[in-house]
Amino acid sequence: MSHLDIIHVLSVLTGNGSSADHSHLEECASCRRDLDSWRPRLSDLRDLESNAVEASELHNLRVLFRQLGPASIVRSWVARLIRGPKLAVESVRGGLEASLGAYQAGPYEIVVQIRPSAVEGRFDVHGQVMREDGMVPESTHVVLTSLDGHVDRAELDRFGEFQLAAVPAGPIRMVWFAGDSRIDLEELAVGGPNEEADR
Amino acid sequence: MGQMRKRIAEMLPPEVRETLASKGPVRAGEQLVGIAELMGRSRPGEARRWGLELAGQSFDDEIVMGCARWAAGVAMYLAGDMASAEPALLEAARRLKKVDRNGLADRASLLLVDLHGERSALDRARRLASRLHRSFTERGDRERAAVALANLAGAEDAADRIARARALWRRARSDLAEGSLRRLLTDANLANVAALEGRFHEAAKMLQKVSDEARSNAMDGLARQAELNLAEVEFSAGDVDRSFARWQQVISDAKEAGDGAVGVAAEIDLARAEAGIGDVGGARSRLARAAAAARQSGLDGEAVRAACQAAALEAIDGAAGALQRVEKELRKPARAVQRDLMLVEIAQLDSSCDPGRLSRAARRLIRSGHLQRGRLGLAWAARRSLDRGRPKRARRLAEEVLSSPKLSPWARMLAHNVLGNLGGTRSIRHLLAAVRDADSVHGRLAAAADRQAFLSVRGDVYLDLLRALLVRNRPADRRRALGIADRLRVGWLLDELARRADRGDDEQVRHWQDLRCRLAALLQEVEGAGEPRVRRAGLKLHGRIRSLERDVRQAETELARRWPIVSDGSMDSAAEDLLRVLPEHEFFVEYLLDRGNLIVFLVGRGSLTVRVVPAVAGEISDLLASVQFHLDAATWLGAGWGAARDVAFDARLARLGELLLNSVPMDGVRRLWIAPHGVLFHIPWAALNHPSGGRLIDRIPFTLVPGAGPAAMLLGQQVRRPKSVAIGGAGVEALPLVDREVRELAEITQGASVMATTTRDEFLQLVAENELVHLAGHALFLDGLPFASGLRMRDGYVTVHDLAATRLAVRYVSFGVCSGLRLGRDAGDRYAGFVLALMSGGARTVVGPVAPVRDDVAYTFDMALHRSLHDTGDPQEAFSEAVRAVREFDPRPVTWGAFHQWGDPRPWGLA
């Protein structure tokens, strides 16, 4: 008996499965487990859709979700910008063109640096994710998407660091997947505030 | 006859009618042509309309008819309407010959020689000129025979055959009457040849004489044309102020006289000059105005010239498809040469140009006599063929280029580089020849597109040779490779010297200074008020800075062309010099990342080895990205962000140490002179772990240098204590320790000039007049636009451009500001920053941080550095002491590892 491939599983999940697919699922426990593991991820996608994500970005997210495979997300957070005395901003003898943001998301701390890339008009995004206790989350991916359809993903190394090169300027969204946890960083502006904000 | 008289009466002034009645049609026809010439030179717009109308009229008398066509042809020719002039003149000659007026027919044909030349029909022009010269000589009319030669000279000149043109004009001049229009025209042409050959003073004198004589003979049109050329000569000679004023004068004079052709030509020439001095925006709008005016006056040639200039500006700015945008304008067969010239110009900058099409255009140019541009086109076709993976075609084209006589070094450099990259036994010989040509081309290319293209390929020309030498790897190859690495980097530093010092006070220098001031003012907007965690450098602002910085660069390139640097002697000299002067037990190590490999040059007294570590460049770049992230972020995040981040930073340093220091001897070594390259500039060298344990700063004294050449130069000179000291401060409320630092350093360095709140001009004066300068304050570094980075002063910023433009007295500089020794990647893979600008200007030692630094950390470093310097006079010891002080204050390597020392570390007073 051949099992359902991902296309057929997703067809069933989106209500487009054939009667043959449904019959197979009734008999096959393995495919049913596979189907169940996809439900939370599809639910995330539906959440994104309800947040009025642009069609191009949603398409990229769908592709990435498929690449990452099914997983059950148990906990999720939205990253929150850290302000206040934890940052020694007032006593530094200068600045860079780069921007630096520090975020809190549940037990995680995230630092994201965005600086001009060697490619004109693009930016490199470098960052680090750590738990507050200094531990690095294992097997973590980060996915970056932007409104113009750019999409990239990277794995975090043993120090929780990641690099995404030549990201186009404009608003981006980043999502980290760490085990059964998920962190969303929404509407970060690469290259500083966008044109509207600059006026 | 009655009908003819009626028509003539409508078209001609009364004196011609009178001549017709009293002296007959030949004299009246000649008079008509004379009037056409006068009108064409003084009121071309009116002359063209009149000529077009006259060319459409019919007359009963065939002589009058022929002369009317001749006059119409002259008027339209002088108004720039070549397409209408040619059929009129051909018809004139045919009609006059038909009635056996061969003398008149020949005179009408004289202008056709010029017209054939304009259309690049050189053979036709030569045949006709030869026949006319023979014919006039047989009649004893030496003056007109001379005109035939002069007109042929014009045709030869249009085909870039300058020497032949000059000989013909000189021959013609002796038979032309003094003060006559033809003589003046010939003098003007000889002046232009002199200018082309670089004899600007002589050319200017001749053109001034032509202009004066033309004015005194009421030939104002010719005078304006001479002044237009004079402006061009003055600009080429570097007298920008005078040339701009003259162009403006010609434009206003032409407007008053209704001389649209010269007015538009002057606008286009002035626009090109404006682009040359960096005012690209001004040039664009002037070209748009000139193109519209040219179309309105029916000056098609000038309209196309304006469109081509605008397209070239676009291509220089990096816009693709510039050629396609002007192709419509150039579609007419008569514009074929112009189209081909344009294709060669733009193909240099736009890699999408089809090499097949380019080579066909280049061959057409060669056939039409545009030899140099044609050969350059072939050389670029070879290069583009190589880029597209067609080696056979590339080889054939490059060999064809090199077989041409009197080839320009620019085309020769490209052809040699192509053949060198194709491999074979003569590969290195070709690559060496390409580098020699690159050195001789440096700064001497006249066309802006050529200069831009040269800057984009020059780095490859050096690196291609370096790679090939290291593959062959003989001892002499290694020495030469080190010399190339030095030239590759330091040669670029030398570029900056070309623009150092504001020489004189001319329009170009003032424009450049103005651009620099505007750039410095824009930096203020990058700083985020109260939110430095996220810089407010929005896209719009970034675009404005980038655009302004590009204008500054353009102005500097033009200045460098006017005052080019003559490159130094042989390619081996840097390595040879270093091998000779490097002291016993001191080593020089240079690191270069190239095509995935790490290349390590290790030089000891009399020995040079090269080691290539394969396939580690990617890993090193990743490690460096992480290191830079930690260095930049740690300052803002402070110590409260957990030891885990320091562990990550340390792990990177350990791996980098393994990759970079493994092959470097440590035992018994007294000092290392380290020349990093590219991303390696950002290594926190002091904190780098040695594979056998310990940090580099604890294992061995070291210093950083820009390359083998500067190291040899520093070692070859005496060291002495700086004679004058200045302390500059530019503090803000948020940096309470800056004022204290300035006060306390003033006490340590007694007798120093102290400026607690320094302005832009004051700081530039400090480095121009004092031998040791310390600056405490605030700096903004733009990694993507390093030349635009600035040191903040009370009234604005001092940018890297400003430092590169200042004559320096300073020998030792210490920066108590963020990123004072940081280097950012610039165009063409160059790196730039304050430190390189200072060292290329003569500073021997520069010390400071390579990353953002906290107020308290900078204060600790600076105080320890200057206390030790004052006590010991030993820069190396002072740097080590200062790093030690910071380590005690904050033991994290991410903090103290951020400090660098560049240049000469030897104790003052020792040789």
Side-chain angles (χ1 to χ4, degrees), chain B residues 138-169:
Chain B
E138 280 166 9
R139 286 192 207 107
D141 189 346
R142 290 180 61 186
E143 176 131 10
R144 290 207 171 84
V147 172
L149 292 183
N151 288 2
L152 177 60
E156 299 280 357
D157 180 51
D160 276 352
R161 295 173 184 271
I162 311 296
R164 206 179 159 103
R166 184 184 50 213
L168 284 164
W169 272 318

Side-chain angles (χ1 to χ4, degrees), chain A residues 130-182:
Chain A
M130 272 191 184
R131 292 174 62 91
E132 281 175 325
D133 58 10
M135 300 301 286
V136 174
E138 282 180 16
S139 54
T140 305
H141 307 281
V142 57
V143 175
L144 180 149
T145 62
S146 65
L147 285 184
D148 72 350
H150 178 87
V151 62
D152 201 358
R153 56 168 292 210
E155 285 183 28
L156 273 61
D157 69 9
R158 65 193 169 110
F159 299 109
E161 283 184 40
F162 60 90
Q163 284 186 64
L164 296 155
V167 175
I172 58 163
R173 177 196 307 270
M174 294 172 83
V175 187
W176 286 266
F177 297 100
D180 61 356
S181 305
R182 166 189 163 145

